Amino acid sequence: MIRIAILISGRGSNMLRLADVVADMPDEARIVLVAANTNCDGLDSAAARGLPTRLVDRRDFADRSSHEAALADSIEAAGADWVLLAGYMAILSADFVTKFQGRIINIHPSLLPDLKGLDTHARALAAGHTQHGATVHVVTPALDDGPILLQAALTITRAETEAQLAARVLRLEHALYPF
């Protein structure tokens, strides 16, 4: 059985989608931890579904290293085989990534290697891109730079707003990440 830890920082829509899929395969996978680095709606949603949750609030730690050590301890205590980043809005240090090397996966709202980092929808529109999408990749110490596992693309419509594009890309993420 695959044991999964999911890290979130917000509403947790990708985490909830993953939870839906995992619930349909109880003999194959189990979510053993949903952890957040800030108090967020996603933790409440995970708890409401009966998933084990943990707040490892970055404000409770003197520095990044001690915060990541506590997060890693939580992941290891849960016995997770894989760590899935689902809207986790913190850059993980090389030490943390190395500790879980090859076992951390992220979903990013762009067609990597294009548009690494934040504000991808606004940047795609500002640059006049005609294609945008989402990428699932293995996490490495370099930001949004690990091996690509899956991508899905969409065509940006002419009068599309950032919010409309974000909503369409999120639907792609929800379809793509469970694979």
Side-chain angles (χ1 to χ4, degrees):
M1 172 174 301
I2 298 169
R3 298 169 55 88
I4 301 166
I6 302 175
L7 306 185
I8 63 173
S9 294
R11 68 183 181 260
S13 70
N14 272 309
M15 174 271 301
L16 291 172
R17 176 66 182 125
L18 290 167
D20 288 343
V21 172
V22 169
D24 289 338
M25 49 175 32
D27 296 332
E28 298 170 42
R30 183 170 62 160
I31 296 171
V32 296
L33 178 67
V34 175
N37 60 350
T38 187
N39 196 13
C40 60
D41 291 341
L43 279 181
D44 295 335
S45 298
R49 290 199 179 196
L51 299 173
T53 62
R54 167 105 189 194
L55 173 60
V56 186
D57 195 324
R58 61 181 170 242
R59 296 173 296 181
D60 294 340
F61 298 87
D63 55 32
R64 177 182 182 182
S65 178
S66 58
H67 174 257
E68 287 185 349
L71 184 59
D73 288 347
S74 295
I75 292 166
E76 290 174 332
D81 303 308
W82 290 92
V83 179
L84 305 183
L85 308 182
Y88 188 71
M89 299 305 291
I91 297 172
L92 296 167
S93 70
D95 288 341
F96 184 92
V97 172
T98 300
K99 184 176 198 75
F100 298 100
Q101 184 172 354
R103 300 186 299 132
I104 307 175
I105 307 243
N106 184 44
I107 184 135
H108 183 73
S110 81
L111 296 172
L112 291 174
D114 196 25
L115 302 175
K116 296 176 182 181
L118 299 174
D119 304 318
T120 61
H121 311 306
R123 290 167 45 215
L125 291 170
H129 291 187
T130 58
Q131 294 285 302
H132 193 44
T135 303
V136 177
H137 67 97
V138 177
V139 174
T140 62
L143 180 67
D144 296 329
D145 199 46
I148 293 171
L149 301 174
L150 297 166
Q151 287 186 312
L154 54 77
T155 299
I156 298 174
T157 62
R158 205 175 124 137
E160 194 156 28
T161 67
E162 181 181 348
Q164 290 167 328
L165 181 57
R168 290 199 313 132
V169 169
L170 186 60
R171 286 193 296 276
L172 278 182
E173 291 179 31
H174 290 172
L176 190 63
Y177 210 2
F179 280 99

